Structures are given as C-alpha cells and as structure tokens.
Amino acid sequence: MTKIADIRAKTPDELQTQLLDLRKEQFNLRFQRATGQLEATGRVKVVRRDIARIKFVMSERKRSAPVQPKN
C-alpha cells in the first residue's frame, strides 16, 4: 500500500508511470481471478485503492494549476 505522502512527493511523469504499472497489475490480477489462479486475493483491493490515490492526486494537481488565459 502506497501512502498518500509518498504519492504527493512524486513528479507527474512518475505518477503516470506508476499508474500504468498498477493498471497492468490490475489486469493481470483480474485475469488470474477469472482463471482460478489468484492466490493473493487481498492484492486486488490494495491495487484498486492505490490507483484511486494516484488519480486523486493527479486531479488535485490539475485543479490547483493556474488557469491559462485564452487568446
């Protein structure tokens, strides 16, 4: 489980990379569950919450970014 302070300390590129890795892991876990090979059932919940934390921080940064005036 990733702590929110650790996520906030990362750059946007690092967050994007971590989000991509977590989504790949989530896909693999779903595939394992469907085929009956999933052993670490708690990992699904942890990955889902980590994805939500990263998306929250990314949207938080997007909302707090200064608005660019349109010309």
Side-chain angles (χ1 to χ4, degrees), residues 19-34:
L19 183 62
L20 182 63
D21 292 342
L22 286 170
R23 285 194 171 160
K24 286 178 183 179
E25 183 179 354
Q26 184 182 35
F27 173 78
N28 289 331
L29 290 170
R30 279 196 334 248
F31 197 84
Q32 287 176 8
R33 184 190 306 168

Side-chain angles (χ1 to χ4, degrees), residues 33-70:
R33 184 190 306 168
T35 59
Q37 296 175 347
L38 183 63
E39 294 178 6
T41 56
R43 185 72 185 143
V44 175
K45 183 177 178 180
V46 171
V47 169
R48 236 181 47 233
R49 287 186 178 185
D50 283 347
I51 289 172
R53 283 185 186 101
I54 291 173
K55 289 177 76 173
F56 176 78
V57 169
M58 289 172 76
S59 68
E60 190 178 53
R61 288 181 182 176
K62 187 176 181 181
R63 281 182 286 160
S64 69
V67 178
Q68 297 292 330
K70 294 183 179 181

